[in-house]
PDB file of all heavy atoms in Angstrom:
ATOM      1  N   ILE A 311     -12.560 -15.791   3.663  1.00 70.00           N
ATOM      2  CA  ILE A 311     -13.530 -14.873   3.102  1.00 70.00           C
ATOM      3  C   ILE A 311     -14.478 -14.312   4.144  1.00 70.00           C
ATOM      4  O   ILE A 311     -14.993 -13.208   4.016  1.00 70.00           O
ATOM      5  CB  ILE A 311     -14.293 -15.557   1.947  1.00 70.00           C
ATOM      6  CG1 ILE A 311     -14.869 -14.511   0.996  1.00 70.00           C
ATOM      7  CG2 ILE A 311     -15.356 -16.513   2.463  1.00 70.00           C
ATOM      8  CD1 ILE A 311     -15.274 -15.069  -0.345  1.00 70.00           C
ATOM      9  N   GLU A 312     -14.707 -15.066   5.216  1.00 66.00           N
ATOM     10  CA  GLU A 312     -15.621 -14.590   6.251  1.00 66.00           C
ATOM     11  C   GLU A 312     -15.027 -13.445   7.067  1.00 66.00           C
ATOM     12  O   GLU A 312     -15.745 -12.753   7.796  1.00 66.00           O
ATOM     13  CB  GLU A 312     -15.998 -15.741   7.179  1.00 66.00           C
ATOM     14  CG  GLU A 312     -16.676 -16.916   6.485  1.00 66.00           C
ATOM     15  CD  GLU A 312     -18.009 -16.549   5.844  1.00 66.00           C
ATOM     16  OE1 GLU A 312     -18.602 -15.517   6.251  1.00 66.00           O
ATOM     17  OE2 GLU A 312     -18.457 -17.272   4.937  1.00 66.00           O
ATOM     18  N   ASP A 313     -13.719 -13.248   6.969  1.00 67.00           N
ATOM     19  CA  ASP A 313     -13.056 -12.217   7.758  1.00 67.00           C
ATOM     20  C   ASP A 313     -12.901 -10.895   7.009  1.00 67.00           C
ATOM     21  O   ASP A 313     -12.296  -9.962   7.531  1.00 67.00           O
ATOM     22  CB  ASP A 313     -11.664 -12.702   8.182  1.00 67.00           C
ATOM     23  CG  ASP A 313     -11.734 -13.943   9.065  1.00 67.00           C
ATOM     24  OD1 ASP A 313     -12.702 -14.062   9.820  1.00 67.00           O
ATOM     25  OD2 ASP A 313     -10.816 -14.780   8.974  1.00 67.00           O
ATOM     26  N   MET A 314     -13.447 -10.805   5.804  1.00 81.00           N
ATOM     27  CA  MET A 314     -13.264  -9.602   5.003  1.00 81.00           C
ATOM     28  C   MET A 314     -14.073  -8.433   5.572  1.00 81.00           C
ATOM     29  O   MET A 314     -15.144  -8.620   6.156  1.00 81.00           O
ATOM     30  CB  MET A 314     -13.668  -9.872   3.554  1.00 81.00           C
ATOM     31  CG  MET A 314     -12.909 -11.042   2.911  1.00 81.00           C
ATOM     32  SD  MET A 314     -11.132 -10.751   2.793  1.00 81.00           S
ATOM     33  CE  MET A 314     -11.071  -9.689   1.365  1.00 81.00           C
ATOM     34  N   LYS A 315     -13.561  -7.228   5.385  1.00 82.00           N
ATOM     35  CA  LYS A 315     -14.139  -6.043   6.010  1.00 82.00           C
ATOM     36  C   LYS A 315     -15.486  -5.661   5.409  1.00 82.00           C
ATOM     37  O   LYS A 315     -16.420  -5.291   6.124  1.00 82.00           O
ATOM     38  CB  LYS A 315     -13.158  -4.870   5.883  1.00 82.00           C
ATOM     39  CG  LYS A 315     -13.708  -3.546   6.388  1.00 82.00           C
ATOM     40  CD  LYS A 315     -12.691  -2.431   6.215  1.00 82.00           C
ATOM     41  CE  LYS A 315     -13.277  -1.085   6.650  1.00 82.00           C
ATOM     42  NZ  LYS A 315     -12.305   0.021   6.476  1.00 82.00           N
ATOM     43  N   TYR A 316     -15.585  -5.722   4.076  1.00 87.00           N
ATOM     44  CA  TYR A 316     -16.782  -5.273   3.395  1.00 87.00           C
ATOM     45  C   TYR A 316     -17.680  -6.467   3.066  1.00 87.00           C
ATOM     46  O   TYR A 316     -17.237  -7.619   3.083  1.00 87.00           O
ATOM     47  CB  TYR A 316     -16.410  -4.543   2.096  1.00 87.00           C
ATOM     48  CG  TYR A 316     -15.498  -3.360   2.300  1.00 87.00           C
ATOM     49  CD1 TYR A 316     -14.120  -3.496   2.175  1.00 87.00           C
ATOM     50  CD2 TYR A 316     -16.010  -2.105   2.623  1.00 87.00           C
ATOM     51  CE1 TYR A 316     -13.280  -2.408   2.359  1.00 87.00           C
ATOM     52  CE2 TYR A 316     -15.186  -1.013   2.805  1.00 87.00           C
ATOM     53  CZ  TYR A 316     -13.814  -1.170   2.675  1.00 87.00           C
ATOM     54  OH  TYR A 316     -12.977  -0.096   2.866  1.00 87.00           O
ATOM     55  N   PRO A 317     -18.934  -6.222   2.717  1.00 88.00           N
ATOM     56  CA  PRO A 317     -19.787  -7.328   2.268  1.00 88.00           C
ATOM     57  C   PRO A 317     -19.192  -8.030   1.053  1.00 88.00           C
ATOM     58  O   PRO A 317     -18.503  -7.401   0.238  1.00 88.00           O
ATOM     59  CB  PRO A 317     -21.104  -6.624   1.908  1.00 88.00           C
ATOM     60  CG  PRO A 317     -21.081  -5.349   2.671  1.00 88.00           C
ATOM     61  CD  PRO A 317     -19.644  -4.932   2.740  1.00 88.00           C
ATOM     62  N   ILE A 318     -19.428  -9.324   0.944  1.00 90.00           N
ATOM     63  CA  ILE A 318     -18.971 -10.063  -0.234  1.00 90.00           C
ATOM     64  C   ILE A 318     -20.041  -9.886  -1.303  1.00 90.00           C
ATOM     65  O   ILE A 318     -21.004 -10.650  -1.416  1.00 90.00           O
ATOM     66  CB  ILE A 318     -18.754 -11.558   0.101  1.00 90.00           C
ATOM     67  CG1 ILE A 318     -17.846 -11.691   1.320  1.00 90.00           C
ATOM     68  CG2 ILE A 318     -18.160 -12.291  -1.097  1.00 90.00           C
ATOM     69  CD1 ILE A 318     -16.502 -11.004   1.183  1.00 90.00           C
ATOM     70  N   SER A 319     -19.877  -8.832  -2.077  1.00 91.00           N
ATOM     71  CA  SER A 319     -20.880  -8.438  -3.060  1.00 91.00           C
ATOM     72  C   SER A 319     -20.227  -7.473  -4.042  1.00 91.00           C
ATOM     73  O   SER A 319     -19.101  -7.011  -3.836  1.00 91.00           O
ATOM     74  CB  SER A 319     -22.063  -7.750  -2.372  1.00 91.00           C
ATOM     75  OG  SER A 319     -21.640  -6.537  -1.761  1.00 91.00           O
ATOM     76  N   VAL A 320     -20.943  -7.156  -5.114  1.00 94.00           N
ATOM     77  CA  VAL A 320     -20.454  -6.156  -6.054  1.00 94.00           C
ATOM     78  C   VAL A 320     -20.297  -4.807  -5.349  1.00 94.00           C
ATOM     79  O   VAL A 320     -19.328  -4.078  -5.571  1.00 94.00           O
ATOM     80  CB  VAL A 320     -21.404  -6.048  -7.261  1.00 94.00           C
ATOM     81  CG1 VAL A 320     -20.978  -4.913  -8.182  1.00 94.00           C
ATOM     82  CG2 VAL A 320     -21.437  -7.371  -8.021  1.00 94.00           C
ATOM     83  N   GLN A 321     -21.249  -4.485  -4.483  1.00 93.00           N
ATOM     84  CA  GLN A 321     -21.163  -3.259  -3.701  1.00 93.00           C
ATOM     85  C   GLN A 321     -19.912  -3.253  -2.823  1.00 93.00           C
ATOM     86  O   GLN A 321     -19.161  -2.274  -2.778  1.00 93.00           O
ATOM     87  CB  GLN A 321     -22.405  -3.106  -2.824  1.00 93.00           C
ATOM     88  CG  GLN A 321     -22.352  -1.935  -1.845  1.00 93.00           C
ATOM     89  CD  GLN A 321     -22.447  -0.580  -2.509  1.00 93.00           C
ATOM     90  OE1 GLN A 321     -23.396  -0.309  -3.237  1.00 93.00           O
ATOM     91  NE2 GLN A 321     -21.469   0.283  -2.270  1.00 93.00           N
ATOM     92  N   GLY A 322     -19.662  -4.355  -2.120  1.00 93.00           N
ATOM     93  CA  GLY A 322     -18.494  -4.438  -1.252  1.00 93.00           C
ATOM     94  C   GLY A 322     -17.191  -4.361  -2.018  1.00 93.00           C
ATOM     95  O   GLY A 322     -16.229  -3.717  -1.586  1.00 93.00           O
ATOM     96  N   GLN A 323     -17.143  -5.015  -3.162  1.00 96.00           N
ATOM     97  CA  GLN A 323     -15.950  -4.979  -4.008  1.00 96.00           C
ATOM     98  C   GLN A 323     -15.645  -3.553  -4.453  1.00 96.00           C
ATOM     99  O   GLN A 323     -14.503  -3.074  -4.345  1.00 96.00           O
ATOM    100  CB  GLN A 323     -16.163  -5.872  -5.233  1.00 96.00           C
ATOM    101  CG  GLN A 323     -14.990  -5.956  -6.181  1.00 96.00           C
ATOM    102  CD  GLN A 323     -15.333  -6.773  -7.423  1.00 96.00           C
ATOM    103  OE1 GLN A 323     -16.329  -6.508  -8.084  1.00 96.00           O
ATOM    104  NE2 GLN A 323     -14.513  -7.769  -7.721  1.00 96.00           N
ATOM    105  N   ALA A 324     -16.666  -2.858  -4.937  1.00 96.00           N
ATOM    106  CA  ALA A 324     -16.475  -1.486  -5.404  1.00 96.00           C
ATOM    107  C   ALA A 324     -16.107  -0.555  -4.253  1.00 96.00           C
ATOM    108  O   ALA A 324     -15.254   0.332  -4.404  1.00 96.00           O
ATOM    109  CB  ALA A 324     -17.738  -1.002  -6.103  1.00 96.00           C
ATOM    110  N   GLN A 325     -16.713  -0.765  -3.095  1.00 95.00           N
ATOM    111  CA  GLN A 325     -16.423   0.087  -1.941  1.00 95.00           C
ATOM    112  C   GLN A 325     -14.978  -0.067  -1.494  1.00 95.00           C
ATOM    113  O   GLN A 325     -14.318   0.913  -1.119  1.00 95.00           O
ATOM    114  CB  GLN A 325     -17.360  -0.252  -0.782  1.00 95.00           C
ATOM    115  CG  GLN A 325     -17.267   0.712   0.397  1.00 95.00           C
ATOM    116  CD  GLN A 325     -17.754   2.113   0.045  1.00 95.00           C
ATOM    117  OE1 GLN A 325     -18.806   2.269  -0.585  1.00 95.00           O
ATOM    118  NE2 GLN A 325     -16.986   3.131   0.439  1.00 95.00           N
ATOM    119  N   HIS A 326     -14.469  -1.292  -1.532  1.00 96.00           N
ATOM    120  CA  HIS A 326     -13.064  -1.515  -1.189  1.00 96.00           C
ATOM    121  C   HIS A 326     -12.154  -0.694  -2.104  1.00 96.00           C
ATOM    122  O   HIS A 326     -11.243   0.003  -1.625  1.00 96.00           O
ATOM    123  CB  HIS A 326     -12.718  -2.997  -1.309  1.00 96.00           C
ATOM    124  CG  HIS A 326     -11.245  -3.262  -1.316  1.00 96.00           C
ATOM    125  ND1 HIS A 326     -10.478  -3.264  -0.174  1.00 96.00           N
ATOM    126  CD2 HIS A 326     -10.383  -3.514  -2.345  1.00 96.00           C
ATOM    127  CE1 HIS A 326      -9.213  -3.501  -0.483  1.00 96.00           C
ATOM    128  NE2 HIS A 326      -9.131  -3.660  -1.801  1.00 96.00           N
ATOM    129  N   VAL A 327     -12.382  -0.770  -3.413  1.00 98.00           N
ATOM    130  CA  VAL A 327     -11.537  -0.038  -4.353  1.00 98.00           C
ATOM    131  C   VAL A 327     -11.656   1.468  -4.109  1.00 98.00           C
ATOM    132  O   VAL A 327     -10.655   2.197  -4.105  1.00 98.00           O
ATOM    133  CB  VAL A 327     -11.909  -0.379  -5.804  1.00 98.00           C
ATOM    134  CG1 VAL A 327     -11.040   0.416  -6.782  1.00 98.00           C
ATOM    135  CG2 VAL A 327     -11.748  -1.874  -6.063  1.00 98.00           C
ATOM    136  N   ARG A 328     -12.887   1.918  -3.879  1.00 97.00           N
ATOM    137  CA  ARG A 328     -13.097   3.339  -3.629  1.00 97.00           C
ATOM    138  C   ARG A 328     -12.308   3.811  -2.409  1.00 97.00           C
ATOM    139  O   ARG A 328     -11.661   4.862  -2.432  1.00 97.00           O
ATOM    140  CB  ARG A 328     -14.590   3.588  -3.435  1.00 97.00           C
ATOM    141  CG  ARG A 328     -14.956   5.062  -3.278  1.00 97.00           C
ATOM    142  CD  ARG A 328     -15.262   5.369  -1.814  1.00 97.00           C
ATOM    143  NE  ARG A 328     -15.497   6.805  -1.656  1.00 97.00           N
ATOM    144  CZ  ARG A 328     -14.984   7.538  -0.690  1.00 97.00           C
ATOM    145  NH1 ARG A 328     -14.213   6.999   0.244  1.00 97.00           N
ATOM    146  NH2 ARG A 328     -15.216   8.832  -0.626  1.00 97.00           N
ATOM    147  N   ASP A 329     -12.317   3.027  -1.333  1.00 96.00           N
ATOM    148  CA  ASP A 329     -11.650   3.449  -0.100  1.00 96.00           C
ATOM    149  C   ASP A 329     -10.129   3.392  -0.222  1.00 96.00           C
ATOM    150  O   ASP A 329      -9.425   4.210   0.379  1.00 96.00           O
ATOM    151  CB  ASP A 329     -12.129   2.583   1.063  1.00 96.00           C
ATOM    152  CG  ASP A 329     -13.565   2.890   1.449  1.00 96.00           C
ATOM    153  OD1 ASP A 329     -14.137   3.859   0.909  1.00 96.00           O
ATOM    154  OD2 ASP A 329     -14.133   2.158   2.290  1.00 96.00           O
ATOM    155  N   VAL A 330      -9.608   2.456  -1.011  1.00 97.00           N
ATOM    156  CA  VAL A 330      -8.164   2.439  -1.266  1.00 97.00           C
ATOM    157  C   VAL A 330      -7.769   3.674  -2.073  1.00 97.00           C
ATOM    158  O   VAL A 330      -6.757   4.325  -1.794  1.00 97.00           O
ATOM    159  CB  VAL A 330      -7.752   1.138  -1.992  1.00 97.00           C
ATOM    160  CG1 VAL A 330      -6.273   1.194  -2.404  1.00 97.00           C
ATOM    161  CG2 VAL A 330      -7.992  -0.071  -1.097  1.00 97.00           C
TER     162      VAL A 330
END
Side-chain angles (χ1 to χ4, degrees):
I311 203 163
E312 301 297 339
D313 298 327
M314 303 297 281
K315 175 181 177 181
Y316 302 95
I318 308 304
S319 64
V320 174
Q321 173 70 56
Q323 181 185 52
Q325 188 66 45
H326 165 79
V327 179
R328 185 256 175 225
D329 289 353
V330 173

